[in-house]
Structures are given as structure tokens and as C-alpha cells.
Amino acid sequence: MAETSNEPGLKRSMGPIYLFAMAAATIIGPWLVMTNWWISLTGASIALAFVLVGLMCIPIGLVYGELTSMFPQVGGSYVYTEKAFGKEASYWTSWALMLSYTAVLAFQLMALMDIIRFLWWPEMTIEVMMILAAIVAFINYLLNTREVNIGAGVQFVLFLILAVVGFGYSLLFFTSPSFSTSNWEPFFQTGADGFLTATALMVTMFFGFEVIPQFAEESKYPLKKMWKIITAAILFAATFYGIICLAEAGMGPFAEIIETPMLGAQLALDNYGSWLMYLIALANVAALLTCLIGFWMGSSRLLMAMGRQGVLPRTFASLNKNGVPKTANLVILLVVMVLILMTGTKWLTSLFTLIAAGVGITYTFVVLAFFKLRKTDITVERPYKLHGGLPMGVLALICGLLISYFTFSYFSLDIWILFGIYYVLVAVIRVVLYVDNKSKVKMCVD
């Protein structure tokens, strides 16, 4: 449904399979460029870290399930915090989520260029990488101007590719003569501190399940069952990441594994030949593209919701002839292009570090909104009621606070500075919009 009767509505065209593929594929990141780093943090126990983070995300996902069934509107997290705490609070928390979305988009584009450089074009310059990333971003923008079922269909096919190849090559590694569980020892390579650090940092690898509420207005799936889609996507991600890490960590000594870039592809080349290396690369390209599609769609719908509520100019709520966000889609393209220009400096790395902070802030405020709405909006229909009730909500809040604490505790001074600069810009936007709205009201009164 639209927020008001005179707002144009989005088309209901997404079934459960597309929704699951959208959520799971948006969560799964380009593991090819990161597994050696993951394993370096704590050894084979990184698989356990993924399980723990996944379990922490499930209570939060269930909270999203209840809130989605209550308010099936585009905007997701923004809508819930706005209903509970008003436009002002929701404005500030939503920009934390937007920071995470856009930083992820820029990171995925440059990771794609890294894969291309590793496999085919080792002498590619940073300038060429930026140009190619910008071209891919523009293609993704065009895709998001079409009907939503087209993008969702592409997402589903790409998800099948990454899932089949990911599990398939892991099975080959497990049965390889080079594989040995002795390579997992010691299981906690860097001790308890290393394991806790790894667990905190892996929060960013589960970011994405909250995009499902963004599509509630476009879903044909029963609202009371949305929690199943969210939970299934989280469990899939934990299983997928864990199996791949165990498979790759068992293929060689720890010291060699962590020093091998593009770990899965290199192991495939050494043990099975180039055919598997290119297949793994294809699966990671699919993973990158699914993240691009999912987060791009989620970002545009978040801006659209803010436009509907009047905290951004009304044009952000506009739809094109295909019934998808118009202005919001274009703004996402412009923001991503700016972030691509920042590639080659430490700023993009810093932005990626901030993803976890945006996630922690968003999840914590959404759970707090759940408690507030349970108390104040008692007449609102709840097709799905949270399993475990308020105790499960308390567990979700604890998980959200833990995520926030661990991510902020790893902030360096330059990250704090960048975080502050970002919110200063957000404050400037808010002041400009406030002054503009007051002037319009005064003109109407006069």
C-alpha cells in the first residue's frame, strides 16, 4: 500500500522464491576477495564466528518480520522508526543505513574490478578500474528503471549460479587429496581476542536481510510469513560462508592460506585447473552483481519512503512509467559515482568500515521501535507476532547493542572523523530542508 491514497503505488510482483533469492543473494558478498583475510583473523574458527553472528541476527530478523507484517510499506527500517519515534529520529537513523548501503555498492563495484584484474588484466590501472566500475553502475541504474520483476529475475538466476558453484567447489575441496583437517589446528589460531574480533567484523557479511521489508509493498507473499524468508536467508548465509571457509582453510597450512590472494581461485587452479578457477570467479561476479541489485533497490526505496514523509523533497517519492522509483534511483547513481571517485584513497576503506556501524545503529533503533509500537499501536493488526514475544525482543535488543558496541570499539580516529563529517553533511541537508519548508509555509500563509 502507499503511504497515502494519493501516492502512486508500487506493483506487487515478487513471490517467495524471488524474495528469498533477493535476501540471501544480497547478504552473500564477494568471498573470493576476502576469505584469506577472514581466515587470518582466527583460523578455521571463522566458520564458528559466522554461525554466532547468524544466530545474533535471527532475533533481529524476527523483529523485522513482525514490523513488516504491521506496516507493509516501502521504506522498511525508516517506516518503523518513524512510526515509533517520529520523523526527526527516523531521519538520522535512516542516514546511517543509507551510508551502509551506498558504501557497499561502491565496494562491490571495485571488488568486481579486482577480480577482473586478477584473472585477465593484471596491469589494469586504478583509472581504468574506476571507468569500468562507473559503466557497471550505470548499467545497474538502467536495470533499476525497469519493472521490479525484471531485476528480481536476474537476481534469482545469479543467486543460483553462486549457490551451486559455491557449495560445489567446497565439496571438491573437502574430497581433495590436499585437504586435511590438521590444517584447521589450532582451531582458534589467534586466541580468544582474535575470535571475538572476527565475530564483530563479520557483522558486515550478514548485512542485507533487512532489504526484504523494503519490498513489502511489492510482495505477493503473505505478510505473516515474511519472517520465514528473512530467517531462511540468514541461515543460508551462515551455512554458505562457514562451509566455504572450512573447505579453503583445510587446503593448506595457515601461514600459506592467509598469504594467498583470491584464495579460492588460486587453490582451484593449483589442484583442479583453470576451469574451476574461472567457475569460482564467475560465481563471485554473480555474488557481486546480486549485491549491487539488492542494495541498489533497497537504497532507492529508502529514499522514496523519506520523500513520501516529506523529510526529503517530494520528488524522491516519484515513480517512472514502469512503477519503480525515479528520482531516488538517479540519486543513488550519483552517490555511487562519487564514492567510486574516492577509490584509490583510504577513504573508501574507511567508508566500508562504517558499514557495520550503520548496521548496528539501524538494528538497535528498529528493535527499540518494536518495543514502542507494541505498547502504543495496540490496535494495529499483526499478521505475524514475534516468536517468543517480548523476551525474544529483549534478546534482539541485546544482539543489536552488542553489534553496535563491537563495531564502534574498533573505530580508529580517522573513522571517527569521517563518521562525524558524514553526519555534519546530513545535518546541513536537514537544516536546508527545514528552512525551505518554513519558507514555503510562510508563502502559503501570506
Side-chain angles (χ1 to χ4, degrees):
M1 67 181 71
E3 181 68 17
T4 60
S5 59
N6 62 343
E7 291 282 6
L10 295 165
K11 296 181 180 180
R12 292 191 178 276
S13 57
M14 296 181 69
I17 295 178
Y18 277 6
L19 284 170
F20 171 75
M22 182 68 69
T26 301
I27 294 174
I28 300 299
W31 70 91
L32 180 59
V33 300
M34 292 185 287
T35 48
N36 67 318
W37 173 63
W38 292 345
I39 295 170
S40 73
L41 295 172
T42 184
S45 57
I46 189 67
L48 179 59
F50 278 122
V51 172
L52 289 179
V53 176
L55 292 176
M56 289 175 63
C57 288
I58 286 177
I60 300 172
L62 293 176
V63 167
Y64 269 95
E66 176 169 318
L67 293 174
T68 304
S69 72
M70 292 174 63
F71 306 107
Q73 302 160 11
V74 64
S77 302
Y78 170 81
V79 171
Y80 315 144
T81 52
E82 190 275 331
K83 295 288 186 183
F85 304 116
K87 294 181 180 180
E88 200 63 38
S90 187
Y91 174 86
W92 294 96
T93 57
S94 295
W95 280 109
L97 185 60
M98 183 57 63
L99 172 61
S100 298
Y101 278 173
T102 51
V104 165
L105 288 171
F107 173 80
Q108 302 293 346
L109 285 165
M110 298 315 300
L112 175 59
M113 298 305 110
D114 276 337
I115 292 175
I116 293 173
R117 180 164 59 179
F118 173 78
L119 292 176
W120 298 290
W121 198 348
E123 68 278 8
M124 184 193 302
T125 64
I126 189 66
E127 291 78 16
V128 173
M129 290 179 68
M130 292 164 61
I131 293 171
L132 291 178
I135 292 173
V136 175
F138 185 71
I139 292 173
N140 200 54
Y141 160 76
L142 294 177
L143 177 64
N144 280 280
T145 63
R146 312 304 299 170
E147 293 185 8
V148 68
N149 60 331
I150 297 177
V154 173
Q155 182 89 329
F156 177 71
V157 173
L158 294 172
F159 171 70
L160 287 181
I161 293 173
L162 74 88
V164 171
V165 174
F167 284 123
Y169 91 80
S170 296
L171 179 60
L172 286 177
F173 282 8
F174 279 126
T175 57
S176 169
S178 300
F179 180 86
S180 174
T181 55
S182 64
N183 292 320
W184 293 348
E185 299 174 0
F187 194 62
F188 297 92
Q189 285 277 355
T190 55
D193 288 343
F195 179 74
L196 289 175
T197 298
T199 302
L201 293 175
M202 291 310 103
V203 169
T204 57
M205 302 315 302
F206 282 87
F207 179 46
F209 67 83
E210 76 293 326
V211 301
I212 287 303
Q214 301 279 13
F215 300 102
E217 197 172 309
E218 299 161 272
S219 169
K220 297 188 294 185
Y221 192 61
L223 295 174
K224 64 181 181 181
K225 296 182 179 180
M226 281 292 188
W227 69 272
K228 295 182 178 180
I229 300 290
I230 295 172
T231 303
I234 295 171
L235 292 175
F236 176 88
T239 303
F240 188 84
Y241 286 140
I243 287 177
I244 285 178
C245 287
L246 288 175
E248 295 187 6
M251 291 294 286
F254 176 76
E256 293 181 10
I257 290 295
I258 64 174
E259 294 296 329
T260 305
M262 301 290 177
L263 178 59
Q266 190 62 55
L267 290 172
L269 178 63
D270 294 342
N271 291 272
Y272 291 96
S274 60
W275 68 271
L276 185 58
M277 177 185 72
Y278 285 113
L279 200 58
I280 293 173
L282 173 64
N284 273 263
V285 170
L288 287 162
L289 294 177
T290 57
C291 281
L292 283 174
I293 294 171
F295 282 118
W296 198 297
M297 286 183 170
S299 300
S300 62
R301 282 148 182 80
L302 177 59
L303 290 178
M304 178 181 175
M306 296 172 77
R308 281 182 172 181
Q309 291 295 324
V311 295
L312 286 179
R314 207 66 177 173
T315 182
F316 280 86
S318 63
L319 301 178
N320 67 12
K321 63 180 180 181
N322 294 312
V324 295
K326 182 180 178 181
T327 302
N329 189 27
L330 179 60
V331 169
I332 295 301
L333 174 64
L334 296 176
V335 172
V336 170
M337 290 296 188
V338 170
L339 292 178
I340 289 173
L341 289 175
M342 297 168 67
T343 303
T345 72
K346 64 180 181 180
W347 295 111
L348 185 59
T349 302
S350 299
L351 281 171
F352 186 67
T353 305
L354 286 172
I355 292 172
V359 171
I361 292 171
T362 301
Y363 290 173
T364 300
F365 271 86
V366 166
V367 177
L368 290 173
F370 159 79
F371 284 112
K372 178 76 177 294
L373 294 170
R374 273 242 171 170
K375 182 178 180 180
T376 58
D377 286 34
I378 57 176
T379 61
V380 178
E381 183 182 359
R382 301 172 190 269
Y384 164 69
K385 292 185 178 180
L386 178 66
H387 288 84
L390 291 178
M392 181 64 75
V394 171
L395 179 58
L397 180 60
I398 293 172
C399 292
L401 290 172
L402 283 174
I403 291 171
S404 299
Y405 169 76
F406 280 116
T407 52
F408 278 105
S409 66
Y410 288 107
F411 268 31
S412 58
L413 179 59
D414 62 326
I415 302 297
W416 278 113
I417 292 173
L418 187 58
F419 188 73
I421 291 173
Y422 175 77
Y423 265 100
V424 167
L425 293 175
V426 171
V428 170
I429 294 172
R430 189 72 186 106
V431 171
V432 170
L433 291 173
Y434 176 77
V435 172
D436 183 60
N437 287 335
K438 285 203 70 174
S439 63
K440 288 180 179 177
V441 171
K442 184 177 179 180
M443 288 177 63
C444 290
V445 172
D446 294 342

